[in-house]
Amino acid sequence: GAGVSQSPRYKVAKRGQDVALRCDPISGHVSLFWYQQALGQGPEFLTYFQNEAQLDKSGLPSDRFFAERPEGSVSTLKIQRTQQEDSAVYLCASRLGTGGNSNQPQHFGDGTRLSIL
Amino acid sequence: AQSVAQPEDQVNVAEGNPLTVKCTYSVSGNPYLFWYVQYPNRGLQFLLKYITGDNLVKGSYGFEAEFNKSQTSFHLKKPSALVSDSALYFCAVRENPRDSGAGSYQLTFGKGTKLSVIP
């Protein structure tokens, strides 16, 4: 597609369940980012991939959060044993250009709104 | 550490009037600066960026922003507001990788400013 695609758009889960969120970046974009956006806040960085390599995971809030991009295209963010504080919108972004030297903007998907009951 | 402040939670402006959304930043070296807009239940859309060069940057939909290094500001402006400009606006910063090394991948966002353009 022309833009970053995320699925599902909405996810409701019970506390303690595992969830998986998918991101399909713009074709040819080697850089991929995940952000968490709490209600009324700006996005906060979670993790960064360059192709299949996860180069920065410093923003992941706990070891319950895990992200992968095995073939350097589609990425999945997995949250294990979900907690109520995990409720947020999870945004994926991709960028043309490799590494930290790129000055190209990140292009965002519409996000997955996760609600933990 | 890098940070962004958007001092106004909400800005109201009459249609046809000029608008300004304020942003100040803090980084160790030189900044890369970005403005994004977010409509309800949508992701962020890129408006414009400052990397280097001319302090006045022009972007999409008639928006522009002025980089002021001495005041560490990057305010978003538009000469004549439209009702369709009503949305949430985010300023973001990352450090120029020539100053911090190639590992500075992270964009740091402000909390956002809700712009309401009144017909």
Side-chain angles (χ1 to χ4, degrees):
Chain A
V4 178
S5 178
Q6 292 187 246
S7 61
R9 287 295 317 277
Y10 303 92
K11 177 69 178 178
V12 179
K14 293 182 179 179
R15 188 176 58 178
Q17 290 183 328
D18 299 347
V19 298
L21 313 179
R22 175 188 169 104
C23 172
D24 203 334
I26 294 172
S27 179
H29 282 196
V30 300
S31 297
L32 185 145
F33 303 79
W34 284 98
Y35 291 85
Q36 181 189 61
Q37 186 176 20
L39 189 65
Q41 302 295 317
E44 293 194 359
F45 172 82
L46 293 177
T47 188
Y48 165 68
F49 288 87
Q50 181 176 316
N51 293 308
E52 70 279 4
Q54 188 175 20
L55 300 186
D56 188 348
K57 54 182 181 179
S58 62
L60 296 176
S62 77
D63 58 7
R64 296 186 295 104
F65 287 70
F66 173 76
E68 60 183 5
R69 194 186 184 197
E71 298 179 357
S73 179
V74 172
S75 177
T76 304
L77 176 66
K78 298 179 179 179
I79 309 173
Q80 298 176 324
R81 305 181 303 280
T82 52
Q83 303 294 319
Q84 283 192 322
E85 62 262 29
D86 300 335
S87 297
V89 175
Y90 291 85
L91 296 168
C92 176
S94 69
R95 185 184 72 192
L96 182 67
T98 59
N101 289 322
S102 173
N103 61 25
Q104 294 298 312
Q106 296 178 23
H107 297 271
F108 285 79
D110 286 340
T112 294
R113 183 176 298 275
L114 176 64
S115 298
I116 305 301
L117 305 178
Chain B
Q2 55 197 34
S3 65
V4 172
Q6 292 182 243
E8 302 153 318
D9 290 337
Q10 178 145 359
V11 170
N12 297 322
V13 63
E15 186 178 24
N17 282 3
L19 69 87
T20 299
V21 182
K22 295 179 180 178
C23 170
T24 59
Y25 66 89
S26 175
V27 292
S28 300
N30 293 303
Y32 285 177
L33 292 157
F34 302 83
W35 275 102
Y36 285 84
V37 60
Q38 187 176 36
Y39 295 96
N41 297 317
R42 302 297 302 275
L44 280 69
Q45 294 180 30
F46 169 73
L47 283 178
L48 50 80
K49 65 179 180 181
Y50 171 81
I51 302 300
T52 187
D54 195 348
N55 289 343
L56 184 63
V57 178
K58 294 187 182 296
S60 306
Y61 312 118
F63 284 93
E64 59 189 28
E66 186 167 11
F67 171 63
N68 188 318
K69 187 172 184 178
S70 63
Q71 296 184 5
T72 61
S73 68
F74 190 57
H75 301 330
L76 181 70
K77 299 181 180 183
K78 187 173 183 181
S80 179
L82 301 173
V83 172
S84 58
D85 293 331
S86 298
L88 196 54
Y89 289 80
F90 290 96
C91 181
V93 69
R94 62 178 286 220
E95 193 170 351
N96 187 321
R98 292 179 182 175
D99 296 328
S100 67
S104 59
Y105 309 109
Q106 299 183 22
L107 267 184
T108 298
F109 286 86
K111 291 186 176 182
T113 298
K114 182 179 180 181
L115 173 67
S116 294
V117 181
I118 303 162

